[in-house]
Every structure is written in structure tokens, then in C-alpha cells.
Amino acid sequence: MTDTNLMKRALAELVGTYVLVFLGTGSVVTTVLLMEGWVPLPGNQFNIGIDIEAWFAIGMAFAIAIIAMVYAFGHISGAHINPAVSFALWATGRFPAKELSAYIVAQLIGAGLASFSLVAILGMRAVDTGLGATSMFYGVSYGQAIFCEAVCTFFLMLTIMGTAVDRRAPSGFAGLAIGLVVAADVIVVGNITGSSLNPARTFGPYLAESLLGGANLWAQFPIYIIGPIAGALVAAFLYDFIAEPKKVA
């Protein structure tokens, strides 16, 4: 591949991640703004104002963004739109090491631009909502958060391997399957870790929040690096062990 082709594919990753973060975290921002003033029941610190119906809506926003980007850019860049996915594909020999950094940088830039775009559209009130930044919720330890992110990213990567990577999979369904498993993850663990599954998805809001006077959550960023990468690696290698796709002619 020429440098020009790599640049175009990296640009596709930037745009794809931008759409994912803008629509996904934007749904969180909108939800929080709509629910301002809602007071949870005394002593119920698990419910911070976003109920299960709202988590469903947020999950579907992420799902729609992912489905759209997989179908828009899957045939161009692979639509990784997630550093953990790129890293796992590299680790299993499906993605060249020389292109890994270009993809990850593009994904991080796309995520950052998406968060700043939300502020440009909604103003500083978006920063006050947290910009959809992921963090540990009440009663969740650092180790539990890492494990939670690893497990849910495992589900995501296993779906990617079985529907998008393995050439034996029925064509045309990858985007739908990947989007829906992310939606399910968000619904189930949104109120535990924010259900990132993606270092770039967490990076964008963290960057904008810290630079615009919002919360400084960088101490929690390792959760959203270690967990997703570990989960993606386990899923990719396990899929190869079970399905042996590389042995199929």
C-alpha cells in the first residue's frame, strides 16, 4: 500500500471514529440535559439520573453510529474505529505493524474533534454534563472496572472476528451484529463503567473536558486502555483457536 492509500484509510478511520463519538457521546450529553433536575431516590446511588430506558436509547445511538460506519468504511479501512480492535488485529497477524500507529492516531484525533464539536454546537453546558466521559460508577473498584471493560470488549471483538474478519461469515451482516452487541454492552454495563470498550471513545471526552475546564478523569484512563485491549486480545486469539479461520483455503 502506498502512503497515499494509507492516508486515505487513516482518514476513513478518523471520520468513522468522529461519527461514533459524536453520535454516541452526544446521546449521553442530550440525555443528561433532558434529565436535569431529576432527583434520585434517597440512598439509591446506583441511579444517577439515567434510567434503563435512557441507557437503551444511548446504546442504540452507539449501535446506529457503528452500523453506519461499518457499512460506509468497512470496505475502505476495515472500520476499526477503535484502537483496541486495531491492536488485536495486529497481534493476530491481520494488520501491518507499520500502519498501526497511523490508525490509532487517526482514531484519537477523530474522537477529540467529535467532543470539541459537541461543545461548539451545545456550548459550555455540554462540558457541564461531562461530555459523555466514561468513569467508574458508585461502588465499582478500579480492578472491577478493568475487568468489566475487558469482558464487554471481549464480546465486541468476538463478534467482529466472527462476522467481519472470518471470510466464511455470511456477507452483509457484520455492521448490524457489531452495532447490536455494542448496544447490549451499553445497556448492561453503562451504569458500571460507562461501557467504553474503546480507548478513543474515552479519550475524546477526557481531552475536551480537561482542556475546557471540566472534570479531570485522566487517572481512570488506564481502565479504558487495559480493559479493552485485554478483552480484544483474548477474543481474537480464542476465536482463532476455536474457528481456525487461517487454515481454511
Side-chain angles (χ1 to χ4, degrees):
M1 292 289 184
T2 65
D3 289 342
T4 301
N5 285 334
L6 174 58
M7 180 183 69
K8 290 179 179 179
R9 287 184 287 116
L11 182 59
E13 287 295 305
L14 187 156
V15 174
T17 311
Y18 176 93
V19 172
L20 167 65
V21 175
F22 184 92
L23 293 180
T25 65
S27 69
V28 180
V29 172
T30 300
T31 297
V32 174
L33 288 173
L34 288 172
M35 291 185 169
E36 277 186 343
W38 188 89
V39 180
L41 294 174
N44 182 10
Q45 298 184 63
F46 185 76
N47 187 340
I48 63 162
I50 300 180
D51 56 21
I52 192 64
E53 292 86 358
W55 280 121
F56 177 83
I58 291 167
M60 291 309 299
F62 275 101
I64 291 167
I66 290 170
I67 291 168
M69 291 305 98
V70 168
Y71 291 134
F73 292 128
H75 58 291
I76 297 173
S77 68
H80 301 181
I81 57 177
N82 184 337
V85 172
S86 298
F87 193 83
L89 293 176
W90 163 77
T92 55
R94 293 181 171 87
F95 191 67
K98 63 182 180 180
E99 298 183 4
L100 182 61
S101 59
Y103 265 50
I104 292 176
V105 169
Q107 292 157 358
L108 295 176
I109 291 174
L113 289 175
S115 292
F116 283 110
S117 294
L118 285 170
V119 177
I121 293 169
L122 291 167
M124 290 302 293
R125 60 180 176 163
V127 176
D128 295 337
T129 69
L131 280 174
T134 54
S135 63
M136 297 179 292
F137 280 60
Y138 176 77
V140 180
S141 71
Y142 211 90
Q144 287 174 322
I146 290 174
F147 184 62
C148 178
E149 286 292 312
V151 169
C152 290
T153 309
F154 173 87
F155 300 151
L156 168 61
M157 192 68 202
L158 202 63
T159 305
I160 291 171
M161 294 294 292
T163 62
V165 175
D166 195 332
R167 295 182 180 179
R168 297 170 295 179
S171 62
F173 292 97
L176 182 62
I178 295 166
L180 289 178
V181 78
V182 169
D185 281 341
V186 170
I187 293 166
V188 174
V189 304
N191 225 64
I192 297 173
T193 62
S195 190
S196 174
L197 326 177
N198 183 338
R201 176 260 180 270
T202 292
F203 174 83
Y206 276 23
L207 180 65
E209 279 279 301
S210 60
L211 292 180
L212 296 174
N216 185 339
L217 297 171
W218 288 109
Q220 296 189 40
F221 193 43
I223 293 170
Y224 303 100
I225 298 174
I226 298 169
I229 289 178
L233 286 173
V234 172
F237 281 108
L238 181 63
Y239 186 86
D240 277 352
F241 177 76
I242 295 172
E244 298 185 334
K246 294 181 181 180
K247 294 185 179 180
V248 178

